[in-house]
Structure formats: structure tokens, C-alpha cells
Amino acid sequence: MNFRPLHDRVLVRRVTAEEKTAGGIIIPDTAKEKPQEGEVVAVGAGTINEKGEIRPLDVKAGDRILFGKWSGTEVKLDGEELLIMKESDIMGILEGASSAKKAA
């Protein structure tokens, strides 16, 4: 994939939601809500302040983040569904979260 977001935009891959509840009930696809957790794939250069200087973004590729339910624009790149959103739509970075949790 050859995509680079502009300015303060971030490209995010949603983390797959759990398919079972804590009690072991399997949730069908139609009842699942889209996850509000994702992994940053790519980031833009940053925003330009009043002095004309570029302020880099606080997130970087590989960060696990939480974002608002209706945040971002869904796009399909190389057959994969991704989100493009502004940095201001990101609520926070999940510290210590690894990609290993996603595979479990």
C-alpha cells in the first residue's frame, strides 16, 4: 500500500471485536458494534501553527488508540477496510497494548 495521510490526518486499522461475551455467548455479526479501538497504520506530517512551523502529531504508526464511535471516513485500500480521521478524533493512546492481544 502506498498511502500517506496529509497534515493532521491518521490512517487507522480497526481492531477486531470479541466474538464472545465474558459468559461465553457468541455474538452474531449483525449484533456487533464496530470497535472503537484501532491501530495506527500511517500519520501525516502534522499541523502548521501560527508561526508557520509544523507541529508533529502525538501518535505514530503502530500505536493502539481509542476513537469516537462515528469518527473518521471509511476507505478501502488494497482490499482492506481502513479509516482516515483527524488527530483530534482520537481520544487516547492505549499504553502497553500490543499486537499480540489482537491475535489472542
Side-chain angles (χ1 to χ4, degrees), residues 3-39:
F3 180 82
R4 182 177 53 93
L6 297 177
H7 307 294
D8 65 337
R9 288 184 172 70
V10 179
L11 185 65
V12 176
R13 176 183 301 117
R14 285 188 195 267
V15 175
T16 55
E18 289 291 320
E19 295 184 12
K20 289 185 182 180
T21 64
I25 298 172
I26 297 175
I27 304 169
D29 286 340
T30 55
K32 287 182 196 171
E33 287 193 25
K34 290 187 177 179
Q36 294 173 282
E37 184 178 331
E39 179 182 355

